[in-house]
Structures are given as structure tokens and as C-alpha cells.
Amino acid sequence: MALSLCVLVLTATVVACAMSAVLPVLSEGDVCRLGDGRRGLCKPLSQCSPAIQKLRQERIKPIHCSFKGFEEVVCCDDEFSQRLRKSELACREYVNELPLRVNPFIKGSQDAELGDYPHMAALGYVDPSEPSQVDWNCGGSLISDRYVLTAAHCVVPTSRTKPPVTVLLGAVDLNEPGFLAQKYHVKKWIQHPEYSTATVYNDIALIELDRTVKFSENIQPACLYTKSDIPDLGLEVTGWGLTSNKRSSKSPILQYATLSLVPNDKCNESYVSVRRVNRGVQDTMLCAGDPQGIMDTCNGDSGGPLQVKTTENNAYSIVGVTSFGPLCGGSTPGIYTRVNKYVDWVESVVWN
């Protein structure tokens, strides 16, 4: 039996050697595509029972990923890959393509460099009285090759506001986006079914773009943070909003700042008398701020991400969506829509 398996492994390895020059190289643990289009995980052949069984019984060669030493790594249709959420599988697939890097109103922040936040999106609005003028009034996060995650209040029209019409990707400077930036039209927007403009609850929405996004070094989707525990360290906010309470302080350069998580019960103390938070800060929301009251999100950062870079894949995961705050800076933390509470809804739209 052991000899038979060795022959099968050797046969598959020889065939894979001939094909390796034309197939993309995927490492162990990467997401791959099975023959029927479903996602699998790359594993050493000796650890992939379904592939061994097909080799023995049907003489079907597995899809090649790469090599680990002298053993072939194949695309495995295992139980673990089928247990992963659709968004988690998509995340693993995006991470395969991430380039290697050396290196809300955001007050007290710093300028970002091109490519630092390749998922960052700017939402453009047009005033019918001035159709040639685009105002970039909200942010968002690219989460797939067709969808941007943002706040519902950024897309739902009111008596004073219109929905966005365009999305800019791959830019840091809104005044001079550069030739590497890409513009897309808004095909449609989908607000969370339980959102109401009267409150800040369920303040989350998706924008479907008019065509498939071309990924590049400066344009890559972010992952969704699906875990229940929220990290207290490394939370970053990004946006083109105001950098102070003055109306003229809006930044054309993408800003970033690091914030700390604030427990919901403590955060609730700051919002007890705020009408739009009349049911208190709930578990579908989270709060973050700067203990020194310097850095914060501000007008124009709405819809942008509260994000963390995970150590296991060096990719950004969206923890929250910038939603609400009474002032820029100060002791009052900002409110963010808690993404892990809405993953089911997001998956039902984006990866249905």
C-alpha cells in the first residue's frame, strides 16, 4: 500500500514538474480553485485524502499548486476549506495576490503613501447645479472585485443629500490622483434593511460598481474581520475628511491615525443624551478614540474603515465602518459599525 502511494505521488510530481512553468505558484495554505470552480486549499499531497483517493480509484490527477521540498502541493477539497466563510475564503485568495511591501475626519493624523491602504475608496458626489464638480464627501473599503463597503448614511438620499455617483480607487491625493488611479461609476447601492436615517443603528451599506475592478499594486481588496474579539492594539482609521473643526481644513491627502478601543459601556456615557443614539451603544457598534483627545475621525471620513493589519497574512481587515461622532477630537470616542456583526448580510450580497 505504501509503495502504491509512493508511485502515485511520484507520477503526480513528474506531471506537475512539466506544468509548473505555465501554472501560477501557490504555497501551502493558499486558496486555490478546484476543477469545478469551487475554492480549495493548497496542501501536500500526502495530507490530502480526497486527492489521494481520486488518484487511486479514478486516476484523476490533482490540480498542482507548488512543491514543498520534493513533495507536490495540490489543490485539496478538504473539510476545513468548506467550513470557512465565503468572505474568509475570498480573503485568503486576495492575500495570494498581495504585493510584498517594505514598509472620518482624521484629526492629528499623518499623510499616507501611495499603496499603504490599497483598499481605500473615495465616494464622489455631484451637485446637479454644478455637474462638472465632484465632491469627495465619504470613504469606503474595496472588499471584492465589484463591491465597496461603506456607511448607509453615505448612500441613502435625504432632503439635503444625494447618493454618490462615482468611486475613486488607488489614489492618495484627491487633487492629483495620478494615472494609476481608477474611477468607477456606482451601479447601485444597497443599504442594510434595518437602517433608518433617524438613528445611527445598522449604519452599513454596499456599493456595486459598474464593472469589475482591475487589481494592481495600489488597488487591492481588504478582508472582513470576522472574529468576535476586537483587537485593542493597531486599530487604524483612514480618510480624506477634516483635520480640525474648521470647515476649510479638509485634507486632499489621505490621512491615517491610530486609535484605541473604548468599551461600549464607557462609550455609552458620552451618548446618553444624543437623540440619534437613543437606544444606547449596542453590540452591533464599537467605539474608538485617542486617550489624549488629539486623533479622531471627522466630517468627510464617514464610511471609511477602522482597520487592523493581521500578522498571519499581513493584510488589512475591516473591523468597523466610520459612522458617527459629535466632534472632531476631544474626549468623546467615535462610533463605528461593527463589521463582524454584519458578515452574514455582506456575504449574502457580495458572494451570493
Side-chain angles (χ1 to χ4, degrees):
M1 184 66 71
L3 179 60
S4 175
L5 175 58
C6 288
V7 171
L8 288 171
V9 172
L10 180 61
T11 302
T13 301
V14 170
V15 173
C17 285
M19 300 175 64
S20 59
V22 294
L23 290 177
V25 175
L26 298 175
S27 302
E28 182 180 0
D30 287 347
V31 173
C32 51
R33 290 283 180 173
L34 297 162
D36 57 5
R38 291 181 301 121
R39 293 183 175 98
L41 288 180
C42 292
K43 281 188 169 186
L45 180 57
S46 61
Q47 299 176 24
C48 182
S49 299
I52 293 173
Q53 187 174 5
K54 284 191 174 183
L55 268 172
R56 285 174 173 163
Q57 297 178 0
E58 306 173 43
R59 291 295 189 267
I60 297 177
K61 293 183 286 293
I63 294 175
H64 174 74
C65 290
S66 60
F67 287 96
K68 184 178 181 181
F70 292 102
E71 183 175 6
E72 185 183 11
V73 177
V74 300
C75 191
C76 189
D77 183 11
D78 67 342
E79 293 182 2
F80 175 72
S81 64
Q82 304 312 321
R83 287 199 307 267
L84 289 175
R85 302 195 63 119
K86 294 178 182 178
S87 56
E88 291 172 333
L89 279 168
C91 175
R92 285 174 176 249
E93 193 167 21
Y94 299 151
V95 168
N96 293 346
E97 306 300 323
L98 281 178
L100 294 175
R101 299 187 187 279
V102 178
N103 56 356
F105 21 70
I106 297 183
K107 182 174 179 290
S109 52
Q110 303 176 63
D111 292 354
E113 299 290 337
L114 189 63
D116 283 351
Y117 302 93
H119 53 280
M120 193 66 200
L123 309 189
Y125 301 75
V126 173
D127 186 337
S129 63
E130 297 183 50
S132 62
Q133 177 68 35
V134 177
D135 293 321
W136 307 100
N137 293 335
C138 273
S141 304
L142 184 69
I143 60 169
S144 79
D145 61 2
R146 204 66 185 260
Y147 284 89
V148 168
L149 181 71
T150 188
H153 79 263
C154 286
V155 300
V156 176
T158 66
S159 58
R160 295 181 300 172
T161 62
K162 302 291 184 183
V165 297
T166 187
V167 173
L168 180 65
L169 300 173
V172 167
D173 187 342
L174 296 180
N175 290 339
E176 298 181 12
F179 70 94
L180 295 175
Q182 299 175 22
K183 275 188 181 180
Y184 295 83
H185 293 298
V186 174
K187 180 179 179 180
K188 66 178 179 179
W189 47 266
I190 307 101
Q191 70 191 68
H192 189 273
E194 296 180 35
Y195 172 73
S196 167
T197 56
T199 70
V200 299
Y201 301 105
N202 306 300
D203 189 11
I204 190 169
L206 292 160
I207 293 175
E208 183 179 358
L209 304 177
D210 64 323
R211 62 192 190 279
T212 301
V213 174
K214 295 179 180 179
F215 296 158
S216 68
E217 185 173 354
N218 301 317
I219 301 175
Q220 294 284 338
C223 302
L224 299 182
Y225 192 85
T226 59
K227 300 176 182 177
S228 58
D229 61 308
I230 303 298
D232 189 25
L233 299 175
L235 291 174
E236 298 179 16
V237 285
T238 43
W240 288 277
L242 300 181
T243 54
S244 76
N245 288 312
K246 298 178 181 179
R247 286 182 174 271
S248 61
S249 67
K250 193 171 181 181
S251 173
I253 308 296
L254 181 65
Q255 302 287 294
Y256 71 92
T258 302
L259 301 180
S260 298
L261 194 66
V262 177
N264 279 17
D265 55 351
K266 183 174 178 58
C267 180
N268 199 49
E269 296 173 1
S270 301
Y271 291 96
V272 289
S273 60
V274 179
R275 186 172 56 182
R276 296 191 66 197
V277 198
N278 56 7
R279 300 199 299 272
V281 178
Q282 301 186 343
D283 65 356
T284 55
M285 309 149 90
L286 58 87
C287 298
D290 177 16
Q292 298 181 357
I294 299 175
M295 294 181 286
D296 193 9
T297 47
C298 215
N299 291 338
D301 293 317
S302 288
L306 177 69
Q307 61 227 316
V308 64
K309 181 173 279 190
T310 52
T311 55
E312 58 263 28
N313 55 25
N314 200 36
Y316 278 107
S317 292
I318 310 302
V319 176
V321 175
T322 304
S323 176
F324 182 74
L327 294 171
C328 306
S331 59
T332 302
I335 293 178
Y336 300 81
T337 304
R338 188 169 177 158
V339 168
N340 73 307
K341 294 292 185 179
Y342 295 92
V343 174
D344 286 343
W345 175 73
V346 172
E347 288 181 345
S348 72
V349 176
V350 178
W351 295 285
N352 185 13

